[in-house]
Amino acid sequence: MNNTTGRKHLKDILKHLILEPEGFTPEHAASGLCSIMRGEASDAQMGGFLTALKLRGVDCEPAMIAALAQEMLSSALIPHIELDDKSREDFGVIADIVGTGGDGWNTFNVSTTSSLIAAAAGLTVTKHGSRAFSSNCGSADFLESLGCNLRVVLPSHVDKFVKEHHYCFIVASTFYPSMRHGMKMWGELGFSTILNILGPLVNPVAPNCAVIGVNSKALGPVMAEALQIMGRRNYAVVCGDENLDEISIAGDTHVWHIQESGEIRNYTINPRDFGVPAHPLSEAAGATLEENKATLHRLLSNELEGKDIAVRDFVLINTGFLLYVAGTASSMEEGASIARQTLESGKVKMLLENFAKATWAL
């Protein structure tokens, strides 16, 4: 989708979308996004396009989402990674855990913490994320507050981090410089757009397994089918029963799991599947950036207080499910057990410290 020959200007695409919506195709949508990434559209045109896509209900159409994601990926700076430890059972496996955000719950930074625990447990993780749009602190904000110099991590550095730490954080704005044209406008719109949905789909590493949280149960099967169209396998889309974009610690979570065969298997999971008790979601709420930092430090130092138990268990089930989807654990309960052992061993604290130091050494 990155061939710009014959591509129309966003003004023409927008006119088609408004005046002839029934004839608007995934190719038209991708053309519009391409025009934005080429930097040829005004803020008014970009805002109009995203608003019209929202009203058109594009976030309910898997083919539209897949076409837009593939167009966006075509503009990414793609890192080259060589995994040379062929003796490992999970050789070649690269994972991610990420959510759409926008669920309104402002929970603790679960996916970021889970990504660190999974990497410390031996799984190679390239965590794709950004700064805050819809939460108290985004994943990049969180890691930067913990001492990581993410602004200097470039595509050429990813291979080094993966080999030395089994971990790299990929800041979306660095790997998608063409999206700079729409960032200011996106932040000013005041509502979620198709770009919120695309974020979790466009990790430039294209991991071969991932857990992706969505903020609506209606979006779950749509996102799974979009991933299926994109050729992704061993990906699981999850949505807590409260329309939470994580695996819920409070009760049921709905899963749309894309198997190796490409079949989408729908099932429901619960904290008891991980051997972990349920907790009210209010006990796992996030707070300010400084408070979330303090909570993580207590988790990594095994100095838990009060509601930290709920946060810890929340993190364990999300990490455990990623390990299960990646094949590192044979069951969800084993995944949570590996996650807890890794967390309590001090390996996660060491990984974070070493990763942070390495970012400042670039």
Side-chain angles (χ1 to χ4, degrees):
M1 301 293 285
N2 59 351
N3 179 11
T4 59
T5 303
R7 285 295 181 90
K8 293 183 178 179
H9 189 283
L10 183 60
K11 182 179 180 179
D12 300 314
I13 295 292
L14 182 56
K15 183 178 180 180
H16 189 159
L17 175 56
I18 297 296
L19 300 181
E20 302 176 68
E22 67 282 350
F24 192 78
T25 67
E27 290 72 24
H28 289 129
S31 242
L33 182 59
C34 180
S35 182
I36 290 174
M37 294 189 295
R38 290 200 303 262
E40 62 188 25
S42 69
D43 283 353
Q45 289 163 348
M46 289 189 286
F49 180 63
L50 292 176
T51 301
L53 287 178
K54 178 82 169 180
L55 295 174
R56 166 76 161 68
V58 162
D59 52 2
C60 297
E61 301 181 34
M64 287 280 189
I65 295 171
L68 287 162
Q70 288 166 328
E71 182 64 48
M72 192 169 175
L73 278 167
S74 74
S75 75
L77 302 179
I78 306 293
H80 177 66
I81 300 176
E82 292 183 4
L83 297 178
D84 53 9
D85 187 359
K86 295 183 180 180
S87 63
R88 289 177 47 178
E89 288 186 6
D90 60 351
F91 167 73
V93 174
I94 300 177
D96 191 9
I97 179 168
V98 62
T100 58
D103 60 16
W105 285 99
N106 282 327
T107 53
F108 177 74
N109 296 82
V110 173
S111 64
T112 308
T113 305
S114 293
S115 71
L116 291 166
I117 299 173
L123 181 64
T124 298
V125 179
T126 56
K127 171 82 173 104
H128 186 222
S130 61
R131 294 179 176 83
F133 275 100
S134 57
S135 62
N136 288 338
C137 58
S139 50
D141 305 302
F142 191 44
L143 282 180
E144 286 174 337
S145 76
L146 294 164
C148 300
N149 187 16
L150 300 180
R151 295 179 187 275
V152 300
V153 178
L154 303 176
S156 58
H157 300 135
V158 176
D159 185 56
K160 174 182 171 66
F161 281 115
V162 163
K163 286 178 177 174
E164 295 181 1
H165 306 286
H166 295 297
Y167 188 81
C168 188
F169 190 92
I170 293 173
V171 180
S173 57
T174 300
F175 287 70
Y176 283 97
S178 62
M179 290 304 293
R180 70 187 182 278
H181 303 293
M183 292 303 292
K184 181 176 181 293
M185 171 277 308
W186 180 19
E188 292 176 349
L189 280 179
F191 57 86
S192 64
T193 71
I194 190 66
L195 296 179
N196 296 82
I197 295 173
L198 295 183
L201 303 181
V202 294
N203 185 325
V205 173
N208 41 25
C209 63
V211 174
I212 295 178
V214 295
N215 59 19
S216 161
K217 292 187 284 294
L219 180 57
V222 176
M223 185 76 99
E225 191 173 334
L227 286 162
Q228 183 189 53
I229 293 169
M230 294 172 68
R232 301 293 188 256
R233 302 294 181 263
N234 301 312
Y235 274 52
V237 178
V238 301
C239 184
D241 209 36
E242 314 85 352
N243 284 327
L244 177 74
D245 73 333
E246 320 267 11
I247 296 171
S248 178
I249 191 61
D252 288 346
T253 294
H254 304 270
V255 180
W256 297 265
H257 193 159
I258 307 165
Q259 311 289 297
E260 182 64 37
S261 65
E263 176 189 359
I264 299 174
R265 179 176 162 236
N266 179 216
Y267 55 95
T268 303
I269 58 178
N270 188 278
R272 61 177 172 269
D273 295 314
F274 298 86
V276 169
H279 300 272
L281 204 53
S282 59
E283 293 186 8
T288 65
L289 183 59
E290 289 302 315
E291 288 171 317
N292 284 356
K293 271 178 60 179
T295 299
L296 181 66
H297 281 307
R298 292 194 299 273
L299 290 178
L300 300 188
S301 302
N302 296 309
E303 299 173 351
L304 306 186
E305 303 174 359
K307 292 183 178 181
D308 292 344
I309 300 295
V311 174
R312 181 203 62 191
D313 289 349
F314 196 8
V315 168
L316 292 182
I317 63 175
N318 279 272
T319 310
F321 192 65
L322 177 61
L323 294 174
Y324 170 66
V325 169
T328 302
S330 60
S331 68
M332 287 177 267
E333 187 166 2
E334 183 186 18
S337 177
I338 293 171
R340 181 165 185 167
Q341 292 168 21
T342 303
L343 181 61
E344 293 178 349
S345 71
K347 291 180 181 178
V348 187
K349 184 177 183 179
M350 185 179 301
L351 168 67
L352 178 57
E353 290 173 352
N354 290 340
F355 176 71
K357 288 177 183 176
T359 62
W360 285 99
L362 291 173

